[in-house]
Amino acid sequence: MDIRRITRSRNERVVAGVAGGLGAFFNIDPMFVRLAFIVLAFINGIGGVLYLVLWLIVPNEDSLTAGRTTVQEAADEMRIFVENLVNQIRSAFQR
């Protein structure tokens, strides 16, 4: 019996790997999942919230931790992502 879990992809990652992981789980192209998140974000705003929640609760594909540690790990990853994004924006405006 093969147990499949939803995980965040390390290979198909644009931001956090949520769409890549969902695409792999449902055996569809991650681009369709990304488009669904974008459409939901524009229609009623739930797409962005849903993406952030999934980023927090879905573990990375190589992570063996569960529960609070997964959320802590994702929160640290979010912090690093935002810091890098802010640094890139700052450096673009300093040119």
Side-chain angles (χ1 to χ4, degrees):
M1 183 174 177
D2 185 26
I3 298 174
R4 292 179 39 190
R5 291 178 47 196
I6 297 177
T7 58
R8 290 187 289 125
S9 175
R10 288 282 189 189
N11 299 328
E12 287 289 332
R13 179 174 283 208
V14 173
V15 176
V18 173
L22 288 173
F25 184 79
F26 292 113
N27 200 23
I28 59 174
D29 190 343
M31 186 58 65
F32 295 123
V33 180
R34 290 182 189 105
L35 288 173
F37 278 120
I38 292 169
V39 168
L40 286 174
F42 282 118
I43 290 176
N44 59 7
I46 195 70
V49 174
L50 182 62
Y51 191 90
L52 290 174
V53 169
L54 289 173
W55 189 355
L56 279 174
I57 64 173
V58 175
N60 279 318
E61 64 186 356
D62 58 353
S63 178
L64 299 176
T65 59
R68 181 182 295 173
T69 308
T70 300
V71 173
Q72 254 178 334
E73 200 174 285
D76 291 340
E77 189 177 309
M78 281 181 185
R79 181 184 49 78
I80 291 168
F81 177 80
V82 169
E83 287 173 356
N84 288 338
L85 184 63
V86 167
N87 288 334
Q88 288 176 354
I89 293 170
R90 282 184 185 156
S91 66
F93 282 112
Q94 289 177 352
R95 292 181 189 173

